[in-house]
Amino acid sequence: MKSNLYFDFVADKVKNTLTIKREFLADRQLVWDCYTKQELLDQWFAPAPLTTKTKSMDFSEGGHWHYAMVDPNGTEYWGWTGYLKIKPIDYYTALDAFCNAEGEINEDLPRAEWLVNFTDRGENALVETVVTYKSLSDLETVIQMGMEQGMMATLEKLDQLLLTLKK
């Protein structure tokens, strides 16, 4: 689905950050719910053709989301998001990592802190995500892993979900 919705992806190699800004055709509360509720995250949080499955989730300060992105052959790519600070429908911060099915963090792959802001843009919602890495090497690793293309494809799946939820 191609649209005229605002999208920006900027890598800052001085601050070791990725800033992703994306507009959605839905109100802020609905978009917040899609980012913070397991039953909705499982429907969109992976680039096609991958799917998402949650092993455990507690969306609260100090809580976590342990999930896998699953490819069509059944290979699972596990992730861990630890929630740090939450201000409902405005923002949350989290520390993410690659892990295994048991939730053991893979220290060989980059970790990052995420600040995810939700604001109104007319009748739509604008989500600004700032991902901060510990080093330029970590930032370049995720760029090489296809972070920009993966985010674009994943957010297009959220567009599709929002269309069905708004009916």
Side-chain angles (χ1 to χ4, degrees):
M1 177 174 111
K2 296 292 177 206
S3 69
N4 294 321
L5 295 174
Y6 183 81
F7 176 77
D8 194 27
F9 186 99
V10 177
D12 183 329
K13 294 186 178 186
V14 174
K15 295 180 181 175
N16 302 325
T17 61
L18 294 174
T19 301
I20 303 109
K21 294 180 185 177
R22 182 62 152 68
E23 179 182 2
F24 296 96
L25 281 174
D27 65 62
R28 184 165 35 143
Q29 181 66 61
L30 182 57
V31 175
W32 171 267
D33 289 347
C34 287
Y35 272 78
T36 61
K37 294 184 175 180
Q38 171 194 330
E39 64 274 14
L40 296 173
L41 279 165
D42 282 350
Q43 295 180 61
W44 72 271
F45 197 81
L50 282 72
T51 58
T52 307
K53 72 174 185 179
T54 295
K55 186 166 189 176
S56 60
M57 184 172 185
D58 171 14
F59 185 72
S60 65
E61 292 182 1
H64 73 276
W65 180 35
H66 183 201
Y67 65 95
M69 293 184 188
V70 184
D71 75 18
N73 297 324
T75 303
E76 298 174 340
Y77 304 93
W78 288 92
W80 183 275
T81 300
Y83 298 108
L84 304 172
K85 187 167 176 140
I86 298 169
K87 184 175 181 199
I89 88 162
D90 288 333
Y91 73 89
Y92 68 85
T93 60
L95 186 62
D96 85 338
F98 295 94
C99 68
N100 62 19
E102 288 71 48
E104 299 163 336
I105 304 301
N106 182 339
E107 300 294 344
D108 295 330
L109 291 172
R111 296 190 76 179
E113 186 166 327
W114 291 57
L115 167 60
V116 186
N117 284 298
F118 298 78
T119 56
D120 296 318
R121 185 175 172 117
E123 294 181 2
N124 296 340
L126 181 69
V127 179
E128 178 185 41
T129 304
V130 180
V131 187
T132 304
Y133 294 91
K134 291 181 180 156
S135 68
L136 178 57
S137 173
D138 285 355
L139 172 62
E140 289 177 335
T141 296
V142 297
I143 290 171
Q144 291 301 316
M145 290 171 74
M147 177 76 154
E148 181 174 6
Q149 298 80 7
M151 284 293 290
M152 288 175 66
T154 299
L155 297 175
E156 287 175 4
K157 280 179 65 177
L158 177 54
D159 286 330
Q160 295 294 330
L161 176 61
L162 289 167
L163 286 174
T164 65
L165 295 173
K166 287 175 59 179
K167 288 183 180 177

